[in-house]
Amino acid sequence: MNLTYPSLYKVADVASLSAQKLHLRLTVVHACLLILGTAMAVKSLPTKEYSLLVALVFFAALGLSIFLGVKKYEKNWYNGRAVAESIKTSTWRYSMRAAPFENAESVHTIKSEFRNLLNSILRTNRELGDYIGEHQDTNDQITSEMDQVRALSVEERKGYYLTYRIDEQRMWYTTKAAYNKRMQRIWFSAVVIAQALAIACVLARIAYPDWSYWPTDTLVLIASFCISWTQLKKFNELSSAYSLTAQEIGIIRGQSEEVITEEQLSEFVNNAELAFSREHTQWVARQDT
């Protein structure tokens, strides 16, 4: 039985993924327009129509740049991810009876505290409200699966947490670390190739001065885009961070052998959730600097 997350998590998750896809796709389109315009301007045809076409390409790139600045998809992407991860970690704390959702005389008190936490997360991220409003979900905020897991014994909850949270997250971070490392190499190679071709064009111009079509500027622009894309996706930074987090999760998992009581399980879960949420918190903080 996989844990079903609150409705607010699903909405924030979908909103973040939607904003991410739009931002990245439009960024690529913007770069392609600039590269196309630069390539067309290398060897202009002596006609007004061609010059107008080149101008239209650059106008489209300018318009898209303004559109991206106004819509702020990147900010919605990061904030939506932060909200989703905050809700996810709180959901696991609730389901594991970890602080601040330990056992109480009435489960209704705990449910009220969890709902208050969701309201607090929403109030803290009011600017995301309009974008989240485009992605509706009418399911429960406290799901039946959350209560079913919460009703398990200490040993059963520990086993469930190790399987569906610890091991799953460790695999996710390990896979993502390898992926980002591979992508860093690919895009670094692209930068080197584009710059090498640009240098080759400059040197070839010396040998063939009569040839007027040298796409040096286009190649430089392609290299610049590759560098910008690497900085946007933060492949190298994420690869290192994810690798360290995966190792930290492995260390935390070993501590589960000492977990026997409710208090020990609560401390164990909170330590693990702190490790999971740290990377997302730092990610959002880096975008605000």
Side-chain angles (χ1 to χ4, degrees):
M1 176 183 65
N2 289 323
L3 191 65
T4 303
Y5 295 107
S7 173
L8 183 58
Y9 166 81
K10 298 175 183 177
V11 170
D13 183 53
V14 171
S16 176
L17 291 174
S18 175
Q20 178 189 23
K21 289 179 180 178
L22 280 171
H23 178 72
L24 294 179
R25 288 175 181 175
L26 291 177
T27 298
V28 171
V29 172
H30 179 256
C32 289
L33 287 172
L34 289 176
I35 293 171
L36 176 62
T38 304
M40 293 173 67
V42 170
K43 183 66 174 180
S44 299
L45 297 178
T47 63
K48 293 180 180 179
E49 291 77 10
Y50 186 82
S51 297
L52 180 60
L53 181 60
V54 174
L56 287 175
V57 171
F58 283 116
F59 270 122
L62 175 61
L64 187 54
S65 179
I66 295 173
F67 179 79
L68 282 169
V70 171
K71 297 299 289 185
K72 298 180 180 179
Y73 287 123
E74 186 177 20
K75 192 170 186 178
N76 290 330
W77 164 18
Y78 299 135
N79 289 344
R81 187 79 265 135
V83 169
E85 293 304 323
S86 295
I87 297 170
K88 180 183 282 189
T89 194
S90 298
T91 299
W92 279 102
R93 285 181 171 130
Y94 173 89
S95 301
M96 293 295 114
R97 303 188 204 175
F101 307 110
E102 304 99 322
N103 291 329
E105 294 182 2
S106 173
V107 70
H108 297 293
T109 302
I110 303 300
K111 289 186 175 183
S112 178
E113 291 179 1
F114 185 79
R115 294 190 182 97
N116 289 337
L117 177 64
L118 295 184
N119 285 327
S120 175
I121 293 174
L122 276 179
R123 287 195 298 270
T124 305
N125 297 273
R126 284 188 178 278
E127 58 186 12
L128 191 65
D130 293 338
Y131 194 72
I132 284 182
E134 300 175 10
H135 307 275
Q136 294 297 328
D137 185 277
T138 57
N139 292 321
D140 296 331
Q141 299 296 355
I142 299 178
T143 65
S144 59
E145 289 81 5
M146 290 167 60
D147 287 331
Q148 289 174 22
V149 173
R150 185 179 173 86
L152 298 174
S153 66
V154 173
E155 194 63 29
E156 289 173 328
R157 270 180 281 131
K158 184 179 81 169
Y160 187 94
Y161 189 75
L162 289 176
T163 300
Y164 293 101
R165 185 59 165 163
I166 294 289
D167 293 343
E168 186 177 285
Q169 285 291 286
R170 189 179 185 184
M171 178 60 67
W172 187 91
Y173 278 107
T174 301
T175 303
K176 285 293 185 180
Y179 168 80
N180 280 281
K181 187 175 183 179
R182 184 172 66 255
M183 295 306 296
Q184 168 65 22
R185 291 173 178 171
I186 291 173
W187 284 95
F188 177 76
S189 298
V191 172
V192 172
I193 292 171
Q195 290 180 334
L197 291 174
I199 293 172
C201 287
V202 172
L203 296 176
R205 181 179 296 177
I206 299 173
Y208 304 97
D210 295 333
W211 181 256
S212 57
Y213 184 76
W214 297 106
T216 308
D217 293 342
T218 304
L219 291 168
V220 170
L221 188 57
I222 291 173
S224 298
F225 167 71
C226 291
I227 293 172
S228 298
W229 185 259
T230 301
Q231 292 174 342
L232 174 63
K233 298 287 286 183
K234 298 184 182 297
F235 294 122
N236 191 50
E237 186 176 352
L238 289 178
S239 176
S240 299
Y242 288 165
S243 294
L244 289 174
T245 303
Q247 294 301 319
E248 184 178 2
I249 293 172
I251 295 173
I252 291 174
R253 196 190 196 289
Q255 298 171 354
S256 65
E257 298 175 359
E258 305 170 3
V259 174
I260 300 175
T261 66
E262 289 283 0
E263 291 75 14
Q264 290 172 334
L265 180 60
S266 175
E267 183 179 0
F268 172 73
V269 169
N270 279 324
N271 287 339
E273 292 302 323
L274 180 62
F276 297 147
S277 63
R278 185 183 302 118
E279 176 56 37
H280 297 285
T281 302
Q282 291 175 349
W283 171 264
V284 176
R286 285 193 293 267
Q287 310 313 313
D288 294 334
T289 57

